Amino acid sequence: MSNILVVAEHLEGKLRKATLPTIGFAKKAQALTGGKIIGLVLGHNAASVAAELATAGVDHVIHVDSPIYANYLAEAYAPAVAEIAKVKGASIVAAPASTTGKDFLPRAAARMDAGMISDAIEVFSHNGAVGYKRPVWAGNLIARETSTSAITAVTVRMTNFDAPAAGAAAPIETIELGFAAPEHTQFLSFDQVKSSRPELTDAAAIVAGGRGLKSAEAFKMLEELADLIGGAVGASRAAVDSGYAPNDWQIGQTGKIVAPNLYFAVAISGAIQHLAGMKGSKVIVTINKDGEAPIYQISDYGLVADAFKAVPELTAALK
Amino acid sequence: MKILATVKRVFDTDGKPKLTADAKLDVSSIDCKLNPFDEYGVEEAVRLQEKGIATEVVICCVGPEEAQKEMRTALAMGGDRGLLVKVDNTESLDTLSIAKILAAVVKKEKPDLVILGKLSTDSENNQVGQMLAELTGYPQATFAFKLTPDAAGGWAIVGREVDGGTSDVKVKLPAVITADLRLNEPRYASLPGIMKAKKKPLEITTPEALGVSVKPAIVGIGYELPPARKAGIKVASVAELVDKLKNEAKVIS
Ligand SMILES: Cc1cc2nc3c(=O)[nH]c(=O)nc-3n(C[C@H](O)[C@H](O)[C@H](O)COP(=O)(O)OP(=O)(O)OC[C@H]3O[C@@H](n4cnc5c(N)ncnc54)[C@H](O)[C@@H]3O)c2cc1C
Ligand SMILES: Nc1ncnc2c1ncn2[C@@H]1O[C@H](COP(=O)(O)O)[C@@H](O)[C@H]1O
């Protein structure tokens, strides 16, 4: 058997959108391997998630309900994922390349003695096996790799696969695994950054600011512009480290990977680690007072100007 | 408390990658350096030692003979000794193989805390720490930006950077931690530090001597360069920018 197991990500009874491109990836892989796409929900009182997943393009849903999955822990997820993969004959186990997927899947891979591919952006046929493409070197190089283990673990980059069209509801199977709660790890808290704006990873427009803004106060003008165009606000690492923006806003190699239709880079110089997170954007607009900043080399439209003057002017013009 | 901090010799990705005719990476003109994320791990270990919480800090690398250079760079920041597991062609190893070798090191050294970086900046896997945690049966706290160990109590509380915010977990020691960039600010090695590092013991061993034989599951086929993005145009004013966004790019209505 060569089924594809997709581990769903969810929060507060809702499927997280990051799961959908992962199913999109599974569809492409399925075209090469055959087999079924099995969605897995590990949760507690998460029947709503299983129901949502059932219409998201999978062939089958497995729902494991236990209090030990009430708060996410890699030590609880890894054994469950490995067990289901074995019982259901999976040859590929996929999860979103989110901080959750990146946390539990390598642990599960080690348990399954499986090779692992991080941040897959494409699948292709390679000598009868599945080949994977993934960005390395801060996005300046694409590696092509294949796997020889019976099971391969894959995290999927959200920006590179489409969500499959919603289909008829797949059957939901409820399974009990009987694992005990991890003894050595205890979940203490999740401090969520609440925002009324769209999530960075699925915003159609992003207004991002850099160190050149010099204060948290100055980010307010980016927020105003973002709200006007229904976008999200992002930041460079230097802006986050300087305390101008929360760490959840960071875009780049160490932060979020985004690909909106429209990306404003305001007072950001364009270090490769920043570009790694945003150069997949459709239209890039740069506002920087230094006309030689490297970010102009990848920008569609550049305005050489002082952000403190240009951004309010832009907001006013769009009102 | 004994700490094992891992370091990887990585390609300096600030240099532009070049490909050979058979789609391999042309490494002839690329410099190597200590993986930036490992500097944060080593710094954290060294600070815990300076605070008297850590009694011994061992720096460990799986790499070629040349990686002694990066290990000395780490030892110049602090720490007591180095352990190099010599593998000539490290790039041919996959993450699970590295994790298996490190697991054998952990078995031998029995540290209370293993600190890795969260990511190799060249191969960008973000896997080895999590795999090592599973292979050793240790708990894991990845993407750490705050580490508060209670050595006497046998626990550590770790603040983690996660999508949507931050999360705190409590792990029982021994545990595996992977360092994110906001964990601390790594020091520059001082001249006395560099002099001292030259005299610190650096043991060289091999996977065989540790009793591990590995066969990588992930095999590289080759590389390609990503599609280049072309530089666009410069606009003269906000009015022109708005016009272009509305009427040319059609991304704003
Ligand atoms: C391992 C590693 C990982 C990293 N990961 C990331 C990552 O994920 N994301 C990330 O962003 N960085 C990352 N970095 C950091 C990266 O290398 C750069 O340091 C960072 O992106 C710089 O941020 P910046 O462009 O805001 O600041 P700077 O480089 O300082 O640029 C500020 C810019 O603002 C402009 N400016 C100043 N004042 C004004 C004004 N009034 N109006 C208009 N423009 C103005 C300046 O001309 C300049 O171009 C990483 C680094 C390392 C080593
Ligand atoms: N060859 C190696 N030797 C020692 N440590 C390594 C090696 N490869 C990876 N690591 C550690 O594992 C971390 C994560 O690496 P990776 O999973 O390759 O992104 C790195 O920051 C290192 O601390």
Side-chain angles (χ1 to χ4, degrees), chain B residues 174-212:
Chain B
V176 170
I177 312 284
T178 75
D180 214 323
L181 298 180
R182 272 175 281 274
L183 185 57
N184 53 48
E185 203 157 320
R187 69 195 67 195
Y188 288 103
S190 64
L191 196 58
I194 295 168
M195 297 312 289
K196 259 201 235 156
K198 288 186 178 154
K199 298 203 194 79
K200 290 181 184 173
L202 200 165
E203 183 195 342
I204 301 182
T205 182
T206 61
E208 297 74 50
L210 291 164
V212 250

Short mmCIF file of all heavy atoms in Angstrom, two decimals, chain B residues 174-212:
data_model
loop_
_atom_site.label_atom_id
_atom_site.label_comp_id
_atom_site.label_asym_id
_atom_site.label_seq_id
_atom_site.Cartn_x
_atom_site.Cartn_y
_atom_site.Cartn_z
N PRO B 174 17.12 14.88 31.41
CA PRO B 174 17.78 15.49 30.24
C PRO B 174 16.79 15.83 29.12
O PRO B 174 15.84 15.09 28.91
CB PRO B 174 18.77 14.41 29.80
CG PRO B 174 18.18 13.12 30.29
CD PRO B 174 17.46 13.45 31.56
N ALA B 175 17.10 16.93 28.42
CA ALA B 175 16.20 17.39 27.36
C ALA B 175 16.99 17.95 26.18
O ALA B 175 18.18 18.26 26.31
CB ALA B 175 15.28 18.46 27.93
N VAL B 176 16.30 18.06 25.07
CA VAL B 176 16.89 18.66 23.85
C VAL B 176 16.23 20.01 23.61
O VAL B 176 15.00 20.13 23.62
CB VAL B 176 16.65 17.74 22.63
CG1 VAL B 176 17.05 18.46 21.34
CG2 VAL B 176 17.41 16.43 22.76
N ILE B 177 17.06 21.03 23.39
CA ILE B 177 16.57 22.38 23.11
C ILE B 177 17.12 22.80 21.74
O ILE B 177 18.28 22.55 21.45
CB ILE B 177 17.13 23.39 24.15
CG1 ILE B 177 16.98 22.91 25.58
CG2 ILE B 177 16.57 24.79 23.94
CD1 ILE B 177 15.61 23.01 26.15
N THR B 178 16.30 23.44 20.91
CA THR B 178 16.88 24.05 19.71
C THR B 178 16.73 25.57 19.80
O THR B 178 15.68 26.08 20.17
CB THR B 178 16.29 23.52 18.38
OG1 THR B 178 14.98 24.06 18.16
CG2 THR B 178 16.23 22.00 18.35
N ALA B 179 17.81 26.26 19.46
CA ALA B 179 17.89 27.71 19.68
C ALA B 179 17.36 28.51 18.52
O ALA B 179 17.70 28.26 17.36
CB ALA B 179 19.35 28.09 19.94
N ASP B 180 16.52 29.49 18.83
CA ASP B 180 16.08 30.46 17.84
C ASP B 180 16.91 31.74 18.03
O ASP B 180 17.66 31.86 19.01
CB ASP B 180 14.58 30.74 18.00
CG ASP B 180 13.93 31.01 16.65
OD1 ASP B 180 14.58 31.65 15.80
OD2 ASP B 180 12.77 30.59 16.45
N LEU B 181 16.74 32.68 17.12
CA LEU B 181 17.65 33.84 17.13
C LEU B 181 17.44 34.82 18.26
O LEU B 181 18.30 35.64 18.53
CB LEU B 181 17.54 34.60 15.80
CG LEU B 181 17.94 33.83 14.55
CD1 LEU B 181 17.80 34.70 13.33
CD2 LEU B 181 19.37 33.33 14.66
N ARG B 182 16.31 34.77 18.94
CA ARG B 182 16.12 35.75 20.01
C ARG B 182 16.46 35.18 21.39
O ARG B 182 16.16 35.78 22.41
CB ARG B 182 14.69 36.31 19.96
CG ARG B 182 14.60 37.51 19.04
CD ARG B 182 13.21 38.02 18.86
NE ARG B 182 12.46 37.23 17.91
CZ ARG B 182 12.47 37.41 16.59
NH1 ARG B 182 13.20 38.38 16.07
NH2 ARG B 182 11.76 36.67 15.80
N LEU B 183 17.13 34.02 21.41
CA LEU B 183 17.50 33.41 22.69
C LEU B 183 18.50 34.28 23.45
O LEU B 183 18.48 34.38 24.66
CB LEU B 183 18.07 32.01 22.42
CG LEU B 183 18.43 31.14 23.62
CD1 LEU B 183 17.22 30.94 24.53
CD2 LEU B 183 18.95 29.77 23.16
N ASN B 184 19.40 34.91 22.71
CA ASN B 184 20.45 35.73 23.34
C ASN B 184 21.16 36.51 22.24
O ASN B 184 20.75 36.44 21.07
CB ASN B 184 21.45 34.83 24.08
CG ASN B 184 22.01 33.74 23.17
OD1 ASN B 184 22.44 34.01 22.05
ND2 ASN B 184 21.99 32.51 23.64
N GLU B 185 22.20 37.19 22.59
CA GLU B 185 23.03 37.82 21.56
C GLU B 185 24.44 37.24 21.67
O GLU B 185 25.14 37.51 22.65
CB GLU B 185 23.04 39.32 21.75
CG GLU B 185 23.39 40.01 20.46
CD GLU B 185 22.89 41.45 20.42
OE1 GLU B 185 21.76 41.71 20.89
OE2 GLU B 185 23.64 42.27 19.94
N PRO B 186 24.84 36.41 20.71
CA PRO B 186 26.15 35.76 20.82
C PRO B 186 27.28 36.77 20.91
O PRO B 186 27.24 37.81 20.25
CB PRO B 186 26.27 34.95 19.53
CG PRO B 186 24.87 34.78 19.06
CD PRO B 186 24.13 36.00 19.49
N ARG B 187 28.26 36.46 21.73
CA ARG B 187 29.41 37.35 21.90
C ARG B 187 30.38 37.19 20.73
O ARG B 187 30.36 36.17 20.03
CB ARG B 187 30.14 37.00 23.19
CG ARG B 187 30.84 35.64 23.14
CD ARG B 187 31.23 35.15 24.52
NE ARG B 187 30.03 34.86 25.32
CZ ARG B 187 30.05 34.70 26.64
NH1 ARG B 187 31.18 34.78 27.31
NH2 ARG B 187 28.93 34.42 27.30
N TYR B 188 31.21 38.19 20.54
CA TYR B 188 32.36 38.01 19.66
C TYR B 188 33.46 37.40 20.51
O TYR B 188 33.64 37.82 21.66
CB TYR B 188 32.81 39.35 19.09
CG TYR B 188 31.86 39.90 18.07
CD1 TYR B 188 30.98 40.93 18.38
CD2 TYR B 188 31.84 39.36 16.78
CE1 TYR B 188 30.09 41.41 17.43
CE2 TYR B 188 30.95 39.85 15.83
CZ TYR B 188 30.08 40.86 16.16
OH TYR B 188 29.21 41.33 15.22
N ALA B 189 34.15 36.43 19.96
CA ALA B 189 35.23 35.82 20.72
C ALA B 189 36.30 36.87 20.99
O ALA B 189 36.68 37.63 20.10
CB ALA B 189 35.81 34.65 19.95
N SER B 190 36.77 36.93 22.22
CA SER B 190 37.83 37.87 22.58
C SER B 190 39.18 37.27 22.19
O SER B 190 39.28 36.06 21.97
CB SER B 190 37.80 38.14 24.08
OG SER B 190 38.09 36.93 24.76
N LEU B 191 40.20 38.12 22.14
CA LEU B 191 41.53 37.60 21.81
C LEU B 191 42.00 36.55 22.84
O LEU B 191 42.44 35.46 22.45
CB LEU B 191 42.53 38.75 21.68
CG LEU B 191 43.83 38.37 20.96
CD1 LEU B 191 43.54 37.83 19.55
CD2 LEU B 191 44.75 39.58 20.87
N PRO B 192 41.88 36.85 24.15
CA PRO B 192 42.24 35.80 25.12
C PRO B 192 41.40 34.54 24.93
O PRO B 192 41.90 33.42 25.09
CB PRO B 192 41.92 36.45 26.48
CG PRO B 192 41.80 37.91 26.23
CD PRO B 192 41.45 38.10 24.80
N GLY B 193 40.12 34.72 24.56
CA GLY B 193 39.24 33.57 24.31
C GLY B 193 39.78 32.72 23.18
O GLY B 193 39.80 31.48 23.26
N ILE B 194 40.24 33.38 22.12
CA ILE B 194 40.78 32.66 20.97
C ILE B 194 42.07 31.93 21.35
O ILE B 194 42.29 30.78 20.97
CB ILE B 194 41.03 33.64 19.80
CG1 ILE B 194 39.69 34.23 19.32
CG2 ILE B 194 41.76 32.96 18.64
CD1 ILE B 194 39.80 35.40 18.38
N MET B 195 42.91 32.60 22.16
CA MET B 195 44.16 31.98 22.60
C MET B 195 43.87 30.74 23.45
O MET B 195 44.46 29.69 23.27
CB MET B 195 45.01 32.97 23.41
CG MET B 195 45.48 34.20 22.63
SD MET B 195 46.20 33.82 21.02
CE MET B 195 47.75 33.08 21.57
N LYS B 196 42.92 30.90 24.37
CA LYS B 196 42.56 29.79 25.26
C LYS B 196 42.00 28.61 24.47
O LYS B 196 42.27 27.45 24.77
CB LYS B 196 41.50 30.26 26.26
CG LYS B 196 42.06 30.59 27.63
CD LYS B 196 40.93 30.52 28.67
CE LYS B 196 40.84 31.85 29.42
NZ LYS B 196 39.55 32.13 30.00
N ALA B 197 41.19 28.94 23.44
CA ALA B 197 40.52 27.88 22.67
C ALA B 197 41.53 26.96 22.01
O ALA B 197 41.29 25.77 21.84
CB ALA B 197 39.61 28.51 21.63
N LYS B 198 42.70 27.54 21.64
CA LYS B 198 43.72 26.74 20.97
C LYS B 198 44.22 25.61 21.85
O LYS B 198 44.70 24.59 21.36
CB LYS B 198 44.90 27.64 20.56
CG LYS B 198 44.54 28.55 19.40
CD LYS B 198 45.74 29.32 18.90
CE LYS B 198 45.33 30.19 17.71
NZ LYS B 198 46.17 31.35 17.53
N LYS B 199 44.13 25.84 23.17
CA LYS B 199 44.68 24.83 24.09
C LYS B 199 43.61 23.89 24.64
O LYS B 199 43.91 22.96 25.38
CB LYS B 199 45.38 25.54 25.26
CG LYS B 199 46.56 26.38 24.81
CD LYS B 199 47.55 26.59 25.96
CE LYS B 199 48.55 27.68 25.65
NZ LYS B 199 47.98 29.05 25.84
N LYS B 200 42.35 24.14 24.31
CA LYS B 200 41.30 23.26 24.85
C LYS B 200 41.35 21.90 24.15
O LYS B 200 41.61 21.82 22.95
CB LYS B 200 39.93 23.91 24.67
CG LYS B 200 39.72 25.12 25.58
CD LYS B 200 38.36 25.75 25.41
CE LYS B 200 38.27 27.00 26.28
NZ LYS B 200 37.03 27.77 26.05
N PRO B 201 41.11 20.84 24.91
CA PRO B 201 41.15 19.51 24.29
C PRO B 201 40.09 19.35 23.20
O PRO B 201 38.96 19.81 23.37
CB PRO B 201 40.87 18.55 25.45
CG PRO B 201 40.57 19.38 26.65
CD PRO B 201 40.79 20.80 26.34
N LEU B 202 40.50 18.76 22.08
CA LEU B 202 39.54 18.49 21.00
C LEU B 202 39.76 17.05 20.55
O LEU B 202 40.73 16.73 19.88
CB LEU B 202 39.76 19.49 19.86
CG LEU B 202 38.61 19.69 18.86
CD1 LEU B 202 38.81 20.95 18.03
CD2 LEU B 202 38.37 18.49 17.98
N GLU B 203 38.86 16.21 20.97
CA GLU B 203 38.97 14.77 20.68
C GLU B 203 38.35 14.49 19.31
O GLU B 203 37.33 15.07 18.95
CB GLU B 203 38.23 13.99 21.78
CG GLU B 203 38.33 12.48 21.66
CD GLU B 203 37.30 11.76 22.54
OE1 GLU B 203 36.77 12.38 23.48
OE2 GLU B 203 37.03 10.58 22.27
N ILE B 204 39.01 13.61 18.56
CA ILE B 204 38.44 13.21 17.27
C ILE B 204 38.07 11.74 17.31
O ILE B 204 38.89 10.89 17.68
CB ILE B 204 39.42 13.49 16.11
CG1 ILE B 204 39.77 14.98 16.08
CG2 ILE B 204 38.82 13.06 14.78
CD1 ILE B 204 40.68 15.40 14.95
N THR B 205 36.82 11.46 16.97
CA THR B 205 36.39 10.08 16.93
C THR B 205 35.70 9.82 15.59
O THR B 205 35.72 10.68 14.70
CB THR B 205 35.47 9.75 18.14
OG1 THR B 205 35.10 8.38 18.09
CG2 THR B 205 34.20 10.60 18.13
N THR B 206 35.12 8.64 15.42
CA THR B 206 34.45 8.32 14.16
C THR B 206 33.10 7.65 14.47
O THR B 206 32.92 7.14 15.58
CB THR B 206 35.28 7.31 13.33
OG1 THR B 206 35.42 6.11 14.11
CG2 THR B 206 36.63 7.85 12.94
N PRO B 207 32.20 7.64 13.51
CA PRO B 207 30.93 6.94 13.74
C PRO B 207 31.18 5.47 14.12
O PRO B 207 30.53 4.94 15.02
CB PRO B 207 30.20 7.04 12.40
CG PRO B 207 30.77 8.27 11.76
CD PRO B 207 32.21 8.32 12.21
N GLU B 208 32.13 4.84 13.44
CA GLU B 208 32.43 3.42 13.71
C GLU B 208 32.82 3.23 15.17
O GLU B 208 32.35 2.32 15.85
CB GLU B 208 33.55 2.89 12.81
CG GLU B 208 33.24 2.91 11.31
CD GLU B 208 33.28 4.31 10.71
OE1 GLU B 208 34.27 5.03 10.93
OE2 GLU B 208 32.30 4.69 10.03
N ALA B 209 33.72 4.11 15.65
CA ALA B 209 34.18 4.00 17.02
C ALA B 209 33.03 4.17 18.00
O ALA B 209 33.05 3.64 19.11
CB ALA B 209 35.27 5.03 17.30
N LEU B 210 32.01 4.93 17.58
CA LEU B 210 30.83 5.14 18.43
C LEU B 210 29.81 4.01 18.25
O LEU B 210 28.77 3.99 18.90
CB LEU B 210 30.16 6.48 18.10
CG LEU B 210 30.93 7.75 18.48
CD1 LEU B 210 30.34 8.95 17.77
CD2 LEU B 210 30.91 7.95 19.99
N GLY B 211 30.12 3.12 17.33
CA GLY B 211 29.24 1.98 17.11
C GLY B 211 28.03 2.28 16.23
O GLY B 211 27.02 1.59 16.32
N VAL B 212 28.12 3.31 15.40
CA VAL B 212 26.99 3.57 14.48
C VAL B 212 27.42 3.41 13.03
O VAL B 212 28.50 3.86 12.64
CB VAL B 212 26.42 5.01 14.57
CG1 VAL B 212 25.06 5.05 15.19
CG2 VAL B 212 27.37 5.97 15.24
#
